[in-house]
Amino acid sequence: MILHTVNKSPYANQCLVDCLTTAATGDTIILIEDGVYGATAGPLFDKSLPQLSELDIKLYVLRPDFEARGLHLGQSVLHFSLVDDHRFVELVLEADKVLSWY
Amino acid sequence: MILHTVNKSPYANQCLVDCLTTAATGDTIILIEDGVYGATAGPLFDKSLPQLSELDIKLYVLRPDFEARGLHLGQSVLHFSLVDDHRFVELVLEADKVLSWY
Amino acid sequence: MKFTIVILGAPYSGETADTACRFAEAVIAQGHNIYRLFFYHDGVHNASSLVTLPQDEIQLPQRWQQLIDQYHLEAVVCIASALRRGVANDIEARRFGKPCGNLLEGFELAGIGELLDAAAHSDRLITFGPSS
Amino acid sequence: MKFTIVILGAPYSGETADTACRFAEAVIAQGHNIYRLFFYHDGVHNASSLVTLPQDEIQLPQRWQQLIDQYHLEAVVCIASALRRGVANDIEARRFGKPCGNLLEGFELAGIGELLDAAAHSDRLITFGPSS
Amino acid sequence: MNDNVTDNTSATDGSKRILLVCRHAPYGTSLARESIETALAAGALGVDITLLFINDGVWQLYNHQQVSVIAAKNHGAMLSALPLYGVERLLVDEKSLSERGIKASNLTDIAEVIDKDQVKHLLANCKVILSF
Amino acid sequence: MNDNVTDNTSATDGSKRILLVCRHAPYGTSLARESIETALAAGALGVDITLLFINDGVWQLYNHQQVSVIAAKNHGAMLSALPLYGVERLLVDEKSLSERGIKASNLTDIAEVIDKDQVKHLLANCKVILSF
């Protein structure tokens, strides 16, 4: 099981879509840095998410990066969990390996 | 009249699409650095180009950057002209100002 | 568990180094070990003694340094990446005829082999890519 | 015609500085003038004397330096950007208690006002953004 | 909405002015910060400047930014200093907002939302563009 | 096609191996170069490594790269040294090629094209991932 990190805005960069295309059932994704914009409800982004509902992929957002940007949950059709740096470390341990998309 | 420069691959970054959305009739676009991948015929890119045929926008590609990557013209449905660094300078002079997309 | 953290981004220019440093601190706070910090690509600027931020801002190189010092971490800066980006210890600076080096104490220059060794010997390896 | 060239990318890490330097050379070869080179954001690394590339590769800082010297160009490095990224002249290095500076001769540290002045007084201004 | 910019004609008449195009999100890179520092310098020096927030640059204006854990300065607070420096023409591209599902009420009220045609008018009529 | 990698089972069986994921185009940034330098170091040190070229990383394998005017080293030539260093598992993602309109005949023959399922198998079975 892979933990994927994504650190770029999906409105500017393709790497979240690239990640979603490659992620497998049971994988985990954490959005960090500008990647946290992926947890907003922009129509542009939601279009590219059909895969997610099919695969059993858990979605996390790094809280300090999310709050710095003034964002709040409840804007997306998808379920994201906010996590702090400590939980981020645990997520790395729960996965077999990490793949970083940047 | 604006000369737009674009230096990122359209397969990785949104800035060519952003540029095309904003460019006006009569403007000029030059693809430089990884931006030169915009002159390839990937179906992904051609989808986002309907605007170009409507507007009278001239398209240029910086030859040294294009050749370094092993690329050749004739792959795209659009007309791109290859230019060297000297012609790039002239294009800047022929425009009123430059807007860089990166 | 033993972590290796690979840092590819410079401080200030992007967020990478801040994220990675917070992550390293969290790893330690949870009682895990850091096998190695590996600074590669633009990450080598984290080891520059010449980085000077405004006084009221977090000085990332010194924050790394404190972590390295307090927990005896191994902080390896890729030598090839470093020299090409203007980060050098005194020995390398002298070799290339520069007046003095700028590698912060606590960091060491070494080859990419240290990254491969870390990949083989850590329980987890995480890369923090450039954010710019 | 008077050009101002704004360079936002470091040498080696990306292509920006190479593209900008070739552009500057072409401007001069065509008989035009360069009002100012302005190094901002990661572009400040172009002015680092500590950048050392393998011998068979193009040393961009020295290539800039040669252009600056030969054509008496004004090459301004944004002082705030530079200090935050570890580029300093001897005066600034001393001010912050560092052993020595690393600003290459020919380049000068100055404020953002020089960019605004250049925007007002050049016929054309072109920005070369970071490629990474 | 700021009184000084409610007249669309004056707000988007950029002739003779420097237009600062802000396309990048805050925090991820320092580009957003450096663009605002450029605007603050323009204000301090009395240089007439207009800011256009477009694409991910619109996130810079997002309300309720809370920097606590991360190393960066609060970008929203930096922006709110602009009017104090006399920089009052802050324009936001409507299309970029709608693409991101951002409502005008999510933004600081120092900026005025303009439509696609106004953006084109602004770009066509400014003297020089600094793109960040 | 290289004899050593025509057996798909062995080519994509990444257990115990380091997987180097190459996602970036050459030249624009130095990431592609640094990933290949990592692979060359692995070869020189006898460390088992597999390379996966995916997304814009597939451009690294594009034939007929001609560096003359630009400052960078020929990336295609660097890549062709990999087999000489014993690095022979170079795999390319088929989907990334088709998205870019690239035919297998446009690529250097040191790499083997694999499909989506083989990519997933490779990712699932390697020990550790270095992502560039």
Side-chain angles (χ1 to χ4, degrees):
Chain A
M1 190 272 273
I2 297 181
L3 171 66
H4 303 265
T5 72
V6 176
N7 81 340
K8 294 283 192 305
S9 163
Y11 303 102
N13 194 286
Q14 198 65 14
C15 71
L16 177 56
V17 172
D18 292 341
C19 168
L20 294 173
T21 305
T22 305
T25 305
D27 282 358
T28 301
I29 299 175
I30 183 166
L31 307 179
I32 66 173
E33 301 168 359
D34 279 350
V36 302
Y37 289 115
T40 63
L44 185 113
F45 178 47
D46 285 348
K47 266 191 305 194
S48 59
L49 284 181
Q51 312 96 302
L52 271 181
S53 39
E54 290 166 42
L55 307 169
D56 176 31
I57 291 179
K58 288 202 187 64
L59 299 169
Y60 297 92
V61 179
L62 195 57
R63 183 194 292 272
D65 302 0
F66 193 68
E67 289 182 346
R69 287 159 178 80
L71 300 173
H72 44 97
L73 287 179
Q75 296 171 286
S76 178
V77 292
L78 294 163
H79 180 72
F80 288 92
S81 302
L82 287 177
V83 296
D84 61 12
D85 292 328
H86 284 259
R87 183 79 186 105
F88 184 9
V89 171
E90 289 172 4
L91 291 175
V92 171
L93 287 170
E94 289 166 14
D96 301 316
K97 56 214 159 196
V98 182
L99 175 46
S100 304
W101 302 79
Y102 58 85
Chain B
M1 190 274 269
I2 297 179
L3 171 66
H4 303 264
T5 72
V6 176
N7 82 338
K8 295 282 192 304
S9 164
Y11 303 103
N13 194 286
Q14 198 64 14
C15 71
L16 178 56
V17 172
D18 292 341
C19 168
L20 294 173
T21 305
T22 305
T25 305
D27 281 358
T28 301
I29 298 174
I30 183 165
L31 306 179
I32 66 172
E33 301 168 359
D34 279 350
V36 302
Y37 289 114
T40 62
L44 185 111
F45 178 46
D46 285 348
K47 267 191 303 191
S48 59
L49 283 182
Q51 312 94 302
L52 270 182
S53 38
E54 290 166 41
L55 307 169
D56 176 31
I57 292 179
K58 288 201 188 64
L59 298 170
Y60 297 91
V61 179
L62 196 58
R63 183 194 294 270
D65 302 359
F66 192 69
E67 290 182 345
R69 288 161 177 80
L71 301 174
H72 45 96
L73 287 179
Q75 297 171 287
S76 178
V77 292
L78 293 162
H79 180 72
F80 288 92
S81 303
L82 287 178
V83 296
D84 61 12
D85 293 328
H86 284 260
R87 183 80 185 104
F88 185 9
V89 172
E90 289 171 4
L91 291 174
V92 171
L93 288 171
E94 289 166 13
D96 301 316
K97 55 215 160 198
V98 181
L99 174 46
S100 304
W101 302 79
Y102 59 83
Chain C
M1 300 287 268
K2 289 180 293 182
F3 284 74
T4 285
I5 302 174
V6 182
I7 301 102
L8 305 185
Y12 189 77
S13 298
E15 228 171 345
T16 313
D18 177 42
T19 316
C21 193
R22 278 160 34 206
F23 186 88
E25 289 167 350
V27 165
I28 291 168
Q30 286 177 57
H32 299 296
N33 295 313
I34 291 181
Y35 182 80
R36 186 167 293 151
L37 302 172
F38 192 83
F39 297 88
Y40 200 18
H41 190 68
D42 288 349
V44 301
H45 291 297
N46 284 282
S48 165
S49 64
L50 285 165
V51 168
T52 310
L53 266 76
Q55 278 199 332
D56 60 336
E57 295 182 40
I58 293 171
Q59 313 284 327
L60 267 176
Q62 281 70 30
R63 186 167 162 186
W64 282 119
Q65 202 179 28
Q66 198 178 332
L67 208 63
I68 292 162
D69 186 50
Q70 189 171 353
Y71 299 99
H72 309 290
L73 306 185
E74 202 182 304
V76 173
V77 180
C78 170
I79 185 166
S81 286
L83 294 177
R84 292 163 189 177
R85 286 170 178 82
V87 174
N89 59 16
D90 288 339
I91 294 168
E92 294 299 326
R94 211 172 303 126
R95 188 201 310 275
F96 293 104
K98 318 288 186 184
C100 72
N102 60 348
L103 187 77
L104 213 52
E105 208 177 319
F107 295 86
E108 56 178 307
L109 298 181
I112 305 175
E114 300 297 311
L115 173 61
L116 298 164
D117 167 82
H121 294 104
S122 310
D123 298 303
R124 293 292 182 279
L125 180 144
I126 180 167
T127 301
F128 289 93
S131 68
S132 53
Chain D
M1 299 287 270
K2 289 179 295 185
F3 284 74
T4 285
I5 301 174
V6 182
I7 301 101
L8 304 185
Y12 188 76
S13 298
E15 229 172 345
T16 312
D18 177 42
T19 316
C21 192
R22 277 160 36 206
F23 186 87
E25 289 167 349
V27 164
I28 291 167
Q30 287 177 56
H32 299 296
N33 294 312
I34 291 181
Y35 182 80
R36 185 168 293 150
L37 302 172
F38 191 83
F39 297 87
Y40 200 19
H41 189 68
D42 288 348
V44 301
H45 291 297
N46 285 281
S48 166
S49 64
L50 285 166
V51 168
T52 312
L53 266 77
Q55 277 198 331
D56 59 338
E57 296 184 38
I58 293 172
Q59 313 283 327
L60 266 177
Q62 281 70 31
R63 185 166 162 189
W64 282 118
Q65 201 178 28
Q66 197 178 332
L67 208 62
I68 292 163
D69 186 51
Q70 188 170 353
Y71 299 99
H72 310 290
L73 305 186
E74 202 181 304
V76 173
V77 180
C78 171
I79 184 167
S81 287
L83 293 177
R84 293 164 189 175
R85 288 171 176 81
V87 174
N89 59 17
D90 288 339
I91 294 169
E92 295 299 325
R94 211 172 304 127
R95 187 201 311 275
F96 293 103
K98 318 289 186 186
C100 71
N102 60 348
L103 187 76
L104 213 53
E105 208 178 321
F107 294 86
E108 56 178 306
L109 297 182
I112 305 174
E114 301 297 309
L115 172 61
L116 298 164
D117 166 83
H121 295 103
S122 310
D123 298 305
R124 292 291 183 281
L125 180 145
I126 181 167
T127 301
F128 288 93
S131 69
S132 54
Chain E
M1 216 53 37
N2 192 310
D3 278 347
N4 299 23
V5 289
T6 44
D7 174 359
N8 286 336
T9 315
S10 75
T12 56
D13 170 22
S15 57
K16 298 283 168 197
R17 286 202 197 100
I18 300 175
L19 179 67
L20 202 65
V21 175
C22 305
R23 292 189 57 251
H24 290 84
Y27 307 112
T29 74
S30 63
L31 286 164
R33 175 162 175 183
E34 278 147 349
S35 64
I36 301 311
E37 286 177 347
T38 304
L40 289 169
L45 297 166
V47 174
D48 207 359
I49 201 163
T50 301
L51 277 70
L52 172 64
F53 295 89
I54 189 167
N55 307 137
D56 267 353
V58 301
W59 293 116
Q60 297 186 34
L61 298 159
Y62 210 73
N63 263 332
H64 306 306
Q65 297 175 36
Q66 297 172 52
V67 174
S68 51
V69 176
I70 74 168
K73 290 190 91 153
N74 188 313
H75 193 77
M78 270 188 75
L79 271 174
S80 63
L82 285 172
L84 308 175
Y85 280 74
V87 180
E88 289 173 335
R89 269 184 220 88
L90 279 70
L91 309 171
V92 196
D93 173 51
E94 188 176 47
K95 188 168 184 295
S96 302
L97 295 179
S98 65
E99 280 174 354
R100 287 159 184 78
I102 302 176
K103 287 170 248 152
S105 62
N106 296 133
L107 301 183
T108 164
D109 61 4
I110 59 173
E112 181 189 349
V113 179
I114 62 174
D115 67 22
K116 200 178 165 170
D117 290 336
Q118 289 172 303
V119 169
K120 294 215 170 178
H121 183 80
L122 188 67
L123 288 169
N125 290 289
C126 64
K127 180 188 171 286
V128 59
I129 300 169
L130 295 174
S131 46
F132 283 95
Chain F
M1 212 61 32
N2 192 309
D3 277 346
N4 300 23
V5 290
T6 43
D7 174 359
N8 285 336
T9 313
S10 76
T12 58
D13 171 24
S15 59
K16 298 282 167 200
R17 286 203 197 100
I18 300 175
L19 179 67
L20 202 64
V21 176
C22 305
R23 294 188 56 249
H24 290 85
Y27 307 112
T29 74
S30 63
L31 286 164
R33 175 161 174 184
E34 278 146 351
S35 64
I36 301 311
E37 286 176 347
T38 304
L40 290 169
L45 296 166
V47 174
D48 207 0
I49 202 163
T50 302
L51 277 68
L52 171 63
F53 295 88
I54 188 169
N55 306 137
D56 267 354
V58 300
W59 293 116
Q60 296 185 36
L61 299 158
Y62 210 72
N63 263 332
H64 307 305
Q65 297 175 36
Q66 296 172 54
V67 174
S68 50
V69 175
I70 75 167
K73 289 191 92 152
N74 189 315
H75 193 77
M78 270 188 75
L79 272 174
S80 63
L82 284 171
L84 308 176
Y85 279 74
V87 180
E88 291 173 333
R89 271 184 218 87
L90 280 69
L91 309 171
V92 198
D93 173 52
E94 188 176 49
K95 188 168 185 294
S96 303
L97 295 179
S98 64
E99 281 174 352
R100 287 159 183 77
I102 302 175
K103 287 169 248 152
S105 61
N106 297 132
L107 301 182
T108 163
D109 61 4
I110 59 173
E112 179 190 350
V113 179
I114 63 173
D115 67 21
K116 199 178 164 168
D117 290 336
Q118 288 172 303
V119 169
K120 294 214 174 183
H121 182 79
L122 188 67
L123 288 169
N125 290 289
C126 65
K127 180 188 171 284
V128 59
I129 301 169
L130 295 174
S131 45
F132 283 96

